[in-house]
Amino acid sequence: MQRLREAEDYTILMSRQSDHFLGFIYARLKMILQVQQGDITQKEFIVSPHISSVEEENSFQTLFCSLCLYWMNAESPKKPLPNLLEPLYRRAIASDHHWLAMETPELLSRLKPSSNYKQQAEVLREDSNIQTIVDLMEPQEAWKVCLNALVNLHKEAQTTGKAESELRLAWFITGATRFYEVGQNVCDH
């Protein structure tokens, strides 16, 4: 959970830089991290917006927005994403953008398991020796996101209650010690 918070802090910092060319991507990643930490209200902002094609925006934005949608729910993007990612893959291959050319078929292989994208991704990964980011987060179905939110809510309530009870215990011990000291002083005199 601590690493998710650190990553969220970084994405907040980067998404606030309005002139940064990856600002939109950082804003999306921030939402993903918030959902992972239990803020399910952010999920709607990830799954409902339009994802720009490679012709409309830069390749990074198309890939990362597609990844965010995939991470939020592996089932829902199976129809629209291949239509966005296949042209991106062809363009990445033609332009010798090795990393994009590797990540795109990695994601496509998850969306179209019966295709040959898995083999293409393996060949590209062997050539570049780069680990994929597609598996950084496990895609979650809606019920699992809600369950995680409830679990995180329960953990926060437990840690809050625990701190108060420990504090109260400290007050009790301090008060009992003072009462004992006062009682000893009275008895000694």
Side-chain angles (χ1 to χ4, degrees):
M1 188 62 89
Q2 179 62 30
R3 288 186 180 191
L4 288 174
R5 285 190 190 115
E6 286 176 35
E8 181 186 5
D9 289 343
Y10 183 73
T11 58
I12 288 170
L13 177 69
M14 295 306 292
S15 64
R16 286 184 181 159
Q17 296 180 14
S18 60
D19 60 338
H20 197 282
F21 81 103
L22 297 176
F24 186 82
I25 294 170
Y26 280 111
R28 282 283 174 99
L29 290 174
K30 177 185 72 157
M31 289 180 220
I32 290 282
L33 293 165
Q34 289 171 336
V35 171
Q36 291 288 320
Q37 295 176 74
D39 183 0
I40 58 174
T41 61
Q42 298 298 316
K43 183 178 178 182
E44 193 61 35
F45 297 115
I46 298 165
V47 296
S48 64
H50 166 76
I51 297 176
S52 301
S53 70
V54 74
E55 289 83 21
E56 297 171 330
E57 276 299 331
N58 67 54
S59 303
F60 289 119
Q61 186 167 324
T62 303
L63 176 64
F64 275 95
C65 289
S66 300
L67 278 169
C68 290
L69 182 59
Y70 171 74
W71 287 330
M72 283 297 92
N73 188 347
E75 293 305 313
S76 67
K78 285 191 176 181
K79 291 182 182 175
L81 287 185
N83 295 334
L84 291 170
L85 294 172
E86 288 171 339
L88 173 62
Y89 176 55
R90 288 190 295 274
R91 184 178 279 188
I93 290 287
S95 303
D96 286 333
H97 292 128
H98 300 290
W99 181 78
L100 277 171
M102 182 203 69
E103 293 296 345
T104 307
E106 248 342 300
L107 182 53
L108 281 165
S109 72
R110 302 324 191 276
L111 300 171
K112 296 174 89 174
S114 59
S115 69
N116 65 348
Y117 285 118
K118 184 175 177 100
Q119 292 81 13
Q120 293 173 18
E122 286 174 5
V123 168
L124 291 164
R125 197 172 42 253
E126 286 174 10
D127 289 344
S128 63
N129 204 20
I130 298 173
Q131 291 288 355
T132 182
I133 64 170
V134 173
D135 297 324
L136 276 178
M137 290 188 204
E138 185 178 319
Q140 295 184 349
E141 295 179 29
W143 68 268
K144 194 170 184 180
V145 171
C146 291
L147 181 63
N148 285 341
L150 288 172
V151 167
N152 288 335
L153 193 78
H154 181 67
K155 284 180 183 176
E156 288 175 14
Q158 278 184 334
T159 57
T160 304
K162 194 176 210 180
E164 287 177 10
S165 65
E166 288 174 1
L167 189 57
R168 288 183 185 153
L169 179 62
W171 288 341
F172 177 75
I173 292 171
T174 304
T177 305
R178 286 193 181 143
F179 179 75
Y180 177 76
E181 289 172 357
V182 169
Q184 285 291 24
N185 288 338
V186 169
C187 292
D188 288 342
H189 293 294

